[in-house]
Amino acid sequence: MGSATTQALGEIAAALSATSGVDLATADELFTAARVVGASSPLSGALADPSASSPSRAKVVADVFGRDFSPVTVSLLTTAVQQRWSRAADLVEGIEELAIRAAAKADAAADIEGELFAFTRAVAANPSLELALGSRLGDATAKGRLIETLLTDRTAAGTKLIVASVVQQPGERRIRQLLSRAMRIVSDERGRAVATVVTATPLTRSQANKLATLLSTKYGRDVSLNTVVDPGVVGGLRIQIADDVIDASIASRLADLRQRLAG
């Protein structure tokens, strides 16, 4: 990710925080905009063109989306296109990130991170489902309808909207990557991080609370835990927060010992 895109993502996140009246309809429109812009190279190129003036890019947004979308959505899209992006594809992903953040903000009481994690595990356990959602040959709208069917009455509205939307525009990303990215964005929007903890046996409530407190202190923000029970780790823990991995499992130590003996 280029520095221009990193700065742009910060600007649009700040704009969303300062915007009132954001609801799930706003998030849905932003997801639609991401698909429209992503499907048209001329449009994405025009909106991300650094040589074009901000007013001209804003006019393109108004011309394309102003008639059908709410003023709140158009305002957020205008802010997005007025940023400098490292490449046109980053603008598309930026609008998608804005949509995910909007869904998290609109459905603030829902455990979207936990539900995304649970669905990610369900996908990992079902190769047929992963293939159906991840295939680049499948119809995008049909994938969205499949998610609507699978998650109706099982997850919060915000979770269902996020999953149904991101599977329709995978790009070069795998389905589990899409879901993990969405989970990180939701957590960031809510001012916390998510740790995936792999352990041989379930953590007690006391152990989970203590671990969450330790990680929160280490990372300087609230950390929520998603726990995976895997007897293969033998003992100890393997923890992942974003790109950080803390592997204190016995399996890891044994593998390290075998490597040293072999070397």
Side-chain angles (χ1 to χ4, degrees):
M1 183 186 299
S3 58
T5 291
T6 300
Q7 183 174 346
L9 290 173
E11 292 293 335
I12 62 174
L16 179 68
S17 296
T19 300
S20 59
V22 173
D23 56 19
L24 288 177
T26 307
D28 192 17
E29 289 177 347
L30 288 168
F31 277 122
T32 299
R35 290 194 292 272
V36 170
V37 175
S40 172
S41 295
L43 179 58
S44 62
L47 292 175
D49 183 2
S51 66
S53 67
S54 290
S56 67
R57 281 178 275 169
K59 185 177 185 305
V60 174
V61 169
D63 290 345
V64 175
F65 301 109
R67 181 174 300 177
D68 299 320
F69 288 178
S70 72
V72 171
T73 303
V74 172
S75 175
L76 290 169
L77 286 172
T78 300
T79 299
V81 303
Q82 289 177 333
Q83 308 307 311
R84 182 177 292 273
W85 300 88
S86 299
R87 58 195 184 111
D90 289 353
L91 169 62
V92 177
E93 291 189 13
I95 296 173
E96 183 183 72
E97 176 167 330
L98 190 57
I100 294 170
R101 289 182 180 276
K105 180 176 180 177
D107 205 358
D111 181 19
I112 295 178
E113 301 105 311
E115 291 177 347
L116 286 172
F117 179 74
F119 187 69
T120 302
R121 297 289 297 166
V123 169
N126 190 329
S128 298
L129 177 60
E130 184 166 19
L131 180 62
L133 295 175
S135 173
R136 293 182 177 85
L137 301 178
D139 178 72
T141 304
K143 292 179 185 179
R145 287 198 299 266
L146 174 60
I147 294 300
E148 292 280 345
T149 301
L150 290 173
L151 298 187
T152 294
D153 299 327
R154 296 183 181 182
T155 66
T159 305
K160 183 172 66 175
L161 174 60
I162 290 171
V163 179
S165 299
V166 298
V167 300
Q168 295 185 55
Q169 193 173 20
E172 299 301 317
R173 303 164 296 180
R174 299 178 67 86
I175 180 62
R176 278 186 270 173
Q177 288 177 311
L178 291 171
L179 296 172
S180 295
R181 171 177 175 263
M183 187 166 54
R184 289 195 300 271
I185 293 169
V186 171
S187 298
D188 185 70
E189 176 63 25
R190 293 176 170 181
R192 58 186 179 231
V194 173
T196 299
V197 181
V198 183
T199 177
T201 57
L203 297 177
T204 65
R205 183 181 297 274
S206 175
Q207 289 171 328
N209 289 340
K210 184 176 180 180
L211 179 59
T213 298
L214 290 171
L215 292 173
S216 297
T217 301
K218 175 179 174 63
Y219 287 92
R221 66 193 311 186
D222 289 342
V223 175
S224 59
L225 305 183
N226 286 324
T227 304
V228 178
V229 177
D230 179 4
V233 302
V234 184
L237 300 170
R238 185 167 66 246
I239 304 167
Q240 182 168 358
I241 298 181
D243 294 329
D244 289 352
V245 177
I246 304 169
D247 195 338
S249 65
I250 293 176
S252 174
R253 295 176 211 165
L254 290 174
D256 182 58
L257 178 60
R258 282 195 296 269
Q259 186 174 14
R260 292 185 184 184
L261 291 173

